[in-house]
Amino acid sequence: MEFEEFEVHLSATRAKRAGLSSPEGFDVFESRVASEAELLEVEESLRVQLPSEYREFMKRHGGGMFLFLDLLPVVAPDAQEDDLRRVNAAEFKDGSFVAVAPVGTGDWWGFAVHEGRCANQIDFWDHEDGQVQFAATDFLEFLAREGLRVGR
């Protein structure tokens, strides 16, 4: 999916939700954007190259709540919160997977890593057996389907 198509889905979803109320203090779209410097620092720390589509999304929209998804911010605003580096350094020490969103069951959505490069597709990592399964062709398709519930 291209950014232009994704932005149309995002705008339509935001327009639909404009009149709905959320519990006080709860944002359905948080915007913990990342700078290029933060992305480079995390890539160096994790020794991976993140997909360009993911990098661009994090600079435009950022991590945190994304309607039906909780995306790890690249850098958490609080040292006690999970972020991309902390989670991956603790959970995926072998560097074969970069988690970007918790499923909520101990499983993760993220990128398989091959020779230091993250794949463009999103995979599902099962915490029980460590198996990785295909989830979406690319990050924006994943966000549209799982976060915005496009086509559901």
Side-chain angles (χ1 to χ4, degrees):
M1 178 177 293
E2 299 295 323
F3 262 101
E4 294 75 26
E5 180 184 357
F6 175 76
E7 295 287 351
V8 168
H9 291 305
L10 179 57
S11 293
T13 300
R14 285 187 166 160
K16 280 186 212 173
R17 296 203 51 86
L20 302 176
S21 62
S22 297
E24 190 171 327
F26 180 78
D27 293 322
V28 294
F29 291 105
E30 292 178 317
S31 186
R32 296 178 183 169
V33 296
S35 68
E36 181 66 20
E38 290 169 332
L39 285 159
L40 289 170
E41 184 180 312
V42 168
E43 284 179 324
E44 184 178 319
S45 173
L46 297 177
R47 288 178 268 156
V48 299
Q49 183 177 1
L50 297 165
S52 58
E53 192 174 71
Y54 170 80
R55 294 174 104 265
E56 185 62 28
F57 177 86
M58 295 310 280
K59 288 191 278 187
R60 287 184 189 193
H61 300 287
M65 287 306 303
F66 189 75
L67 195 54
F68 294 103
L69 277 175
D70 184 13
L71 299 173
L72 290 172
V74 172
V75 176
D78 180 334
Q80 304 293 65
E81 292 183 45
D82 284 340
D83 63 20
L84 199 63
R85 181 185 0 215
R86 264 187 229 107
V87 165
N88 286 287
E91 298 288 331
F92 301 99
K93 294 176 182 156
D94 69 354
S96 65
F97 190 81
V98 172
V100 296
V103 176
T105 58
D107 303 322
W108 291 92
W109 281 301
F111 305 108
V113 179
H114 304 284
E115 298 179 0
R117 282 184 74 104
C118 291
N120 287 326
Q121 76 183 35
I122 289 286
D123 292 318
F124 172 86
W125 180 83
D126 188 315
H127 78 282
E128 290 184 15
D129 59 13
Q131 294 295 307
V132 175
Q133 300 170 343
F134 173 81
T137 304
D138 61 49
F139 188 65
L140 296 178
E141 176 191 316
F142 164 72
L143 291 174
R145 189 182 69 231
E146 298 296 333
L148 302 178
R149 303 283 168 100
V150 171
R152 288 187 170 188

